[in-house]
Amino acid sequence: MEPPIRLSSTGTIIHGVSVGEVLGVSSLAHARLIAGEGGLGRIVQRLNVMEVPDILAWVKPHELLLTTGYPLRNTPQSLGRLVADLDERGLAALAIKLGRYVDELPAEMVAQADRLGFPLILLPNDVGFDDILNQVLTDILNRQAAVLARAEEAHRALVHVVLAGGGLDEVAAEVAQLLDVSVAAVDGSGRVLASAGPAEHVAVLRESLSREGPPPRRGRVFASVPVLAGGHHHGRIVAYSPSGAIGDGDVGILERAATVAALVVTRQEAVNAVESKYRADFLRDALTGRAGTAERVTARAGAFGWDLARPVTVLVAELDPVGDERSAQDRLVACWTAAIRRHDPRGAVAGFSHEVVAVVDAGVDGARLAKDAAAAFADVPPATFSTGASRPCPGAETLPEAYAQALKAARVGRQLHGAGAVAHFDQLGVYRLLSLVSDTDELHAFVRETLGPLAGDDDADHADLRRTLQVLLETNLNVAETARRLHFHYNTLRYRIGKLERMLGSFTEDHHLRLNLTLALHVLRMRGI
């Protein structure tokens, strides 16, 4: 059975009674169903009287059409198509008086009504259409009023839950009690945030939610409505009734519950935003040495559920400079927060302007944690982030040093390995030492003095010669191996070596010069640090 159509226009009847219930009114006590018994559950929302042959232009869905057959008296052959045409337009049923204008209904019409489940009702001759109209419309309006009153009562109860400071647990419990169903509030990823109802029914509901694809929005057993706020989809409210007793009025109450749930979610988001700011401010102060003594830092961290008294490692996840940084940053914080919950529930995590900083147990595998967060973050390409890990530090007093190490590792790692790199401070090798030189002007001067014209990228020939020098140094001046790597003829490489020595000095004989050249090339590779 299709549910009643919901129209948004003010004053439109959106509830009705079934054809079976219509047959129970007193004016139809002697009416007889002659075909279409399978459609007794069709919903009647309005009534219409057939006075003209072209009635199809005037009918509407969920109508009970009354007729004496007068418009069809001269075209009885049109009865054969009438049932199919009315069923196609969504009518609920056809009620007809026989004997005055139409003596009997064609057998084909009756068979078609049975086939389509379209009720054909034979009306008593002594009943006026006005009596039928008055009684059925009164029942429909009473049903509408009862449904609206029930919905209003439910709305007041749900609003009271919010005003009393209740959350999704209380909303779910209220809905379960109002509708006598099992209810679950689900977030956008399908995670159950709250549930209520008999334990065995909640278990069935959770199992259905774990299957691929959501349960149908409306049905005899399940109903699901979205939770929307501020143009964002925050999840769904899902109900389950093993008896199949969820009706359209119940769905209306679920929709009101979804509105209230949206208020709860947005309120919690506002609270979380404030708490997140306090956590971020405190962690930033702790990482920069402005949060006070180690004891004070440890105590305040405990209030946030963080354990900073143990040996920890600092991780910095810094957005690579591409994409929409604001939306990417919000997603980065969410992914890292979820990953920290899985790997170290007592770990600290907070988002700064364009990075996320986490302080986790020293025993946690930082590379695996970063990979976990990156897997979730990959849902929003092309944004990526680079991750740096510090050395283990014994406690809160050494957090500033560890933070500087992790930040340096993230930035050096990106320069060396590209966007999305994961680097540990202890694995940077000579780059770790170079990164500790705070005077970058001095580093750049060292590069210019050591490499001379090869220090810039303006000349393609110089850049090519610098590549030759780099491979020579990597192979410990093995000319044959260098020629193989660069795909040069041996004599061509000998010529290039001579040219390089005229520009830089006799590096093939001076090991000190070779060391300087190697360091200069490393600094160039760290450009921007």
Side-chain angles (χ1 to χ4, degrees):
M1 179 191 72
E2 288 294 325
I5 294 177
R6 287 179 168 273
L7 300 177
S8 60
S9 56
T10 303
T12 300
I13 293 176
I14 59 174
H15 301 283
V17 295
S18 68
V19 174
E21 291 173 313
V22 168
L23 290 173
V25 303
S26 60
S27 60
L28 296 178
H30 300 292
R32 183 164 58 91
L33 182 72
I34 57 178
E37 183 177 359
L40 288 178
R42 293 187 181 219
I43 299 299
V44 177
Q45 292 180 340
R46 54 180 68 84
L47 287 85
N48 197 354
V49 177
M50 185 175 182
E51 296 179 332
V52 293
D54 59 343
I55 188 63
L56 294 178
W58 308 99
V59 296
K60 297 176 182 177
H62 304 294
E63 276 187 348
L64 170 61
L65 185 61
L66 308 175
T67 183
T68 61
Y70 178 79
L72 305 171
R73 68 192 187 285
N74 297 324
T75 56
Q77 67 277 7
S78 62
L79 287 171
R81 280 286 312 160
L82 184 60
V83 166
D85 290 337
L86 295 178
D87 179 72
E88 184 180 342
R89 285 161 175 76
L91 265 73
L94 173 66
I96 188 170
K97 286 185 178 183
L98 296 178
R100 187 171 182 183
Y101 301 108
V102 176
D103 293 330
E104 63 180 5
L105 298 178
E108 177 190 353
M109 180 180 182
V110 175
Q112 189 175 54
D114 277 328
R115 190 165 57 253
L116 296 173
F118 183 85
L120 287 180
I121 302 170
L122 180 61
L123 296 174
N125 286 324
D126 59 346
V127 175
F129 283 175
D130 58 338
D131 293 331
I132 299 173
L133 290 168
N134 287 335
Q135 290 186 8
V136 176
L137 283 175
T138 297
D139 277 4
I140 291 174
L141 292 175
N142 286 342
R143 177 69 58 86
Q144 169 113 341
V147 169
L148 292 177
R150 181 172 176 243
E152 186 61 30
E153 178 185 355
H155 182 71
R156 284 197 298 269
L158 291 167
V159 169
H160 178 72
V161 168
V162 177
L163 294 178
L168 289 177
D169 287 325
E170 289 75 17
V171 171
E174 188 68 33
V175 174
Q177 182 178 355
L178 287 168
L179 303 183
D180 193 23
V181 296
S182 296
V183 178
V186 185
D187 66 12
S189 63
R191 184 168 59 96
V192 176
L193 303 176
S195 60
E200 62 275 16
H201 296 167
V202 171
V204 173
L205 179 55
R206 284 177 175 269
E207 182 184 356
S208 74
L209 292 169
S210 66
R211 299 190 197 117
E212 186 174 352
R217 184 176 184 272
R218 293 177 181 174
R220 294 181 56 82
V221 176
F222 289 102
S224 175
V225 296
V227 177
L228 302 173
H232 298 288
H233 189 286
H234 294 279
R236 318 176 259 137
I237 299 289
V238 186
Y240 165 67
S241 172
S243 64
I246 300 177
D248 194 63
D250 298 328
V251 174
I253 291 177
L254 284 176
E255 289 171 345
R256 292 184 180 236
T259 301
V260 173
L263 292 175
V264 172
V265 169
T266 52
R267 181 189 66 190
Q268 189 59 46
E269 285 183 345
V271 172
N272 290 343
V274 174
E275 291 182 349
S276 178
K277 182 180 184 304
Y278 281 125
R279 286 195 296 268
D281 288 346
F282 164 69
L283 188 57
R284 183 185 289 108
D285 288 344
L287 294 172
T288 54
R290 298 196 303 267
T293 63
E295 293 76 12
R296 185 168 183 268
V297 169
T298 301
R300 286 192 62 189
F304 291 121
W306 300 340
D307 183 2
L308 300 186
R310 55 186 174 168
V312 294
T313 299
V314 177
L315 300 171
V316 171
E318 190 175 51
L319 279 173
D320 297 320
V322 291
D324 182 354
E325 189 169 304
R326 181 65 266 165
S327 61
Q329 173 67 11
D330 293 339
R331 180 66 175 163
L332 183 66
V333 173
C335 292
W336 270 86
T337 301
I340 293 296
R341 287 199 197 103
R342 291 189 290 271
H343 290 263
D344 184 10
R346 298 285 289 169
V349 60
F352 297 165
S353 58
H354 60 286
E355 67 189 39
V356 173
V357 179
V359 183
V360 298
D361 187 276
V364 171
D365 186 339
R368 185 178 175 188
L369 174 58
K371 184 178 180 180
D372 189 4
F377 193 69
D379 294 340
V380 284
T384 58
F385 63 87
S386 297
T387 306
S390 73
R391 294 169 174 166
C393 66
E397 65 277 1
T398 54
L399 282 176
E401 180 182 352
Y403 172 57
Q405 292 171 0
L407 190 60
K408 188 67 69 176
R411 294 179 180 177
V412 173
R414 180 192 295 117
Q415 291 296 321
L416 298 180
H417 308 296
V422 179
H424 193 286
F425 185 73
D426 277 342
Q427 296 172 350
L428 296 179
V430 68
Y431 297 102
R432 184 178 80 218
L433 299 177
L434 294 174
S435 69
L436 295 176
V437 178
S438 58
D439 190 349
T440 56
D441 289 338
E442 187 63 32
L443 284 176
H444 294 156
F446 171 73
V447 171
R448 290 192 300 270
E449 292 168 4
T450 306
L451 294 179
L454 300 187
D457 292 327
D458 297 336
D459 191 313
D461 290 337
H462 288 166
D464 193 33
L465 281 172
R466 187 172 68 231
R467 169 63 177 158
T468 302
L469 174 64
Q470 180 177 331
V471 177
L472 272 169
L473 294 173
E474 288 174 356
T475 60
N476 197 25
L477 302 183
N478 187 323
V479 178
E481 175 63 15
T482 302
R484 187 190 66 80
R485 288 193 190 183
L486 296 177
H487 307 289
F488 287 160
H489 189 275
Y490 183 86
N491 292 335
T492 301
L493 184 57
R494 296 301 307 181
Y495 168 77
R496 283 182 167 241
I497 292 173
K499 188 173 182 179
L500 285 168
E501 290 201 312
R502 287 193 295 274
M503 297 175 68
L504 304 173
S506 183
F507 62 87
T508 57
E509 298 177 1
D510 186 345
H511 65 276
H512 291 294
L513 178 55
R514 288 199 299 274
L515 175 61
N516 287 343
L517 291 172
T518 300
L519 288 175
L521 289 172
H522 284 324
V523 173
L524 264 187
R525 195 176 177 194
M526 291 173 55
R527 187 170 297 163
I529 300 302

